[in-house]
Amino acid sequence: MVIPAQRPCIIVTHASVGSGHRSAAIAAAEALERLIAAGDERVPADTEVQVLDILDYGRIKFDGDKTASAFTGPTRPVYDITWRFTLTGRLLWGGGTSWARIMFKKFTEYVEERSPLAIVCTHITAANAAVGARMLTGQAFPIVCVPTDYEIEGWWPHKECDLFCVATEGMAETLRPRRVPERKMLITGIPVRGAAGVEYDRDAVRERLGLPQDKTVVLVMAGAHLPQPYVRFRATMDQTLPYLKGLSDMHFVFLPGRDEEYALHLRRSKDDMAIENMTVMGYVDDMPALMAVSDLAICKSGGLTVTECLCARLPMVLLGRSYGQEKVNTTLLTSLGASMHATTPRELLGTLRHLHTYPSSIKAMLVNGEALRRPNAAHDVASATFDLVSRDCSSRRHFAEFYWGGKPAHTR
């Protein structure tokens, strides 16, 4: 029996620790598929794109979402210290086969079987597993790393990556003292789905969704795949609810996601308090359209969330204490004047009252956000990946490599 040859493939791998890494991976994969469908000659016409969760290939099975939720309570400061100060100074992590040997033998075997044209990684675990697999199999495919926040954590395999696709010049300034050469850095932005090329009729979409035409529409993005990180966010909004009807020129649209219990709580609160300028939506299938016709978002400072808002030209009020990568995101956005930040119900209400009285402040955030807006990020990541396909990206094998870098450009 003749076994048919396998199609050439590009692997896009993430880790299901929260939803952002997966969303970025899907956005990049869709962009790769669009280029292939358009007949891009840099890869074979029959190339397939696979999106893999690296945790599915681990020796030890664990729930990445539950692990992420473990850092939403009293342990958040511990996570903050770990993210901000581990291998971010002069002593740096280069990469090696350690993770692949210990944890991801199954992934290495799959890579050996498929011999991918390239691997795109949106999480550090995926990047390190890809680096190890390439060393152990002796293959020479390129590895493209796509951090999904606005700073770079210390465990990326700096020396073994062939390209870092980063969101800002500031992230490139972090990589330079880590001895990452200029040719291995590209400022693309963070890939998000549906970010470019679609225009919406503002009045028609608002009418379809039952939203007022003459008010500032404020999205309260209080739902996600994981409810645990939103416990404090929702508690703050609950304390703010009684005061919303005093902001008569604003209309608040609450998005509880698939959390029906929280949606019921919001609807009851709306009725009990007679808040007329409030809408509670169920799960929204067309979020890009809703974001495009809104004027302001109240949200957490996750990398994908804020990037989606930036691409939709939706100014933000970032709500809640931020730790780890979210702290960096908050600092960057507020320092550029692209968002405002509130931690407590009083601060949030004061911020909303200011924006209600001076709507020009919303327009100012919109203008300032253009400095970070990169709606073509997914396409740029995909095109840069294709550019590397024909290159020899082999590397020598080593179990683990630490190295001495330069003085960090940014203190943590």
Side-chain angles (χ1 to χ4, degrees):
M1 182 178 67
V2 177
I3 300 176
Q6 295 191 83
R7 293 166 57 190
C9 75
I10 295 175
I11 296 173
V12 184
T13 181
H14 65 94
S16 55
V17 182
S19 58
H21 307 290
R22 179 177 180 273
S23 295
I26 292 174
E30 290 176 346
L32 289 163
E33 289 172 342
R34 285 193 294 270
L35 287 178
I36 295 168
D40 196 300
E41 296 182 352
R42 290 173 290 180
V43 297
D46 61 341
T47 299
E48 65 174 324
V49 180
Q50 299 181 339
V51 179
L52 304 181
D53 181 353
I54 193 63
L55 300 186
D56 290 339
Y57 293 81
R59 183 185 299 273
I60 301 172
K61 298 294 183 181
F62 68 94
D63 190 321
D65 290 337
K66 289 182 178 179
T67 302
S69 298
F71 295 103
T72 61
T75 59
R76 287 183 300 169
V78 176
Y79 174 71
D80 185 40
I81 292 171
T82 302
W83 193 92
R84 294 173 64 218
F85 297 109
T86 303
L87 300 177
T88 59
R90 296 262 183 129
L91 179 63
L92 298 166
W93 168 241
T97 65
S98 54
W99 288 21
R101 287 181 181 276
I102 297 169
M103 279 291 293
F104 295 105
K105 181 181 178 183
K106 184 178 176 183
F107 181 73
T108 300
E109 292 172 347
Y110 185 75
V111 168
E112 185 170 32
E113 174 191 346
R114 291 308 310 264
S115 297
L117 299 176
I119 297 184
V120 179
C121 309
T122 63
H123 190 272
I124 55 169
T125 302
N128 280 284
V131 163
R134 183 173 67 181
M135 290 180 179
L136 292 171
T137 61
Q139 297 180 21
F141 55 81
I143 296 171
V144 178
C145 294
V146 187
T148 57
D149 290 286
Y150 289 85
E151 187 52 288
I152 301 176
E153 201 257 21
W155 279 106
W156 288 95
H158 298 98
K159 282 195 168 184
E160 299 300 335
C161 296
D162 300 291
L163 184 66
F164 274 96
C165 292
V166 297
T168 67
E169 180 62 37
M171 295 174 73
E173 281 296 286
T174 292
L175 290 174
R176 289 183 182 108
R178 295 183 186 182
R179 311 297 190 198
V180 176
E182 209 70 31
R183 61 184 172 79
K184 291 189 176 184
M185 292 184 281
L186 184 64
I187 300 172
T188 60
I190 298 172
V192 295
R193 304 175 73 184
V198 180
E199 296 293 333
Y200 296 93
D201 185 321
R202 181 183 180 88
D203 292 345
V205 173
R206 283 198 176 192
E207 183 177 358
R208 174 168 60 85
L209 297 175
L211 302 177
Q213 303 286 358
D214 59 344
K215 291 191 176 184
T216 299
V217 173
V218 182
L219 295 187
V220 183
M221 303 172 75
H225 179 59
L226 298 174
Q228 291 90 339
Y230 281 83
V231 170
R232 288 175 172 79
F233 183 101
R234 293 175 177 182
T236 300
M237 289 309 308
D238 280 351
Q239 294 181 57
T240 310
L241 280 176
Y243 305 96
L244 296 186
K245 54 187 174 183
L247 304 171
S248 57
D249 289 337
M250 289 180 165
H251 188 86
F252 295 86
V253 180
F254 281 75
L255 304 177
R258 298 185 187 275
D259 193 332
E260 296 181 2
E261 182 178 349
Y262 180 56
L264 179 61
H265 162 74
L266 288 171
R267 292 189 177 100
R268 285 175 175 170
S269 299
K270 166 182 161 59
D271 294 339
D272 292 344
M273 300 178 193
I275 308 173
E276 295 183 1
N277 59 332
M278 172 179 171
T279 298
V280 181
M281 291 189 173
Y283 182 77
V284 178
D285 291 319
D286 194 1
M287 270 297 291
L290 177 58
M291 295 174 75
V293 303
S294 299
D295 301 295
L296 181 69
I298 302 174
C299 59
K300 283 172 55 65
S301 52
L304 264 291
T305 298
V306 301
T307 302
E308 287 171 349
C309 289
L310 288 167
C311 290
R313 291 191 169 95
L314 185 60
M316 293 161 274
V317 176
L318 305 177
L319 179 58
R321 286 183 176 272
S322 14
Y323 295 87
Q325 71 272 30
E326 291 191 358
K327 186 171 186 176
V328 175
N329 298 341
T330 299
T331 300
L332 175 66
L333 289 164
T334 54
S335 67
L336 291 176
S339 75
M340 301 180 77
H341 181 218
T343 303
T344 68
R346 284 178 179 268
E347 289 176 341
L348 176 60
L349 185 59
T351 300
L352 291 174
R353 284 173 173 164
H354 168 80
L355 296 174
H356 184 265
T357 305
Y358 302 102
S360 58
S361 295
I362 297 177
K363 294 181 180 179
M365 287 192 286
L366 180 61
V367 172
N368 295 333
E370 289 296 314
L372 294 173
R373 185 175 181 270
R374 293 183 177 271
N376 296 312
H379 173 274
D380 292 344
V381 169
S383 183
T385 300
F386 282 5
D387 284 341
L388 293 175
V389 164
S390 60
R391 297 186 190 178
D392 182 349
C393 297
S394 56
S395 58
R396 64 181 180 83
R397 183 184 299 189
H398 51 267
F399 183 74
E401 181 178 12
F402 294 89
Y403 69 103
W404 198 249
K407 181 179 180 181
H410 303 130
T411 58
R412 297 273 183 139

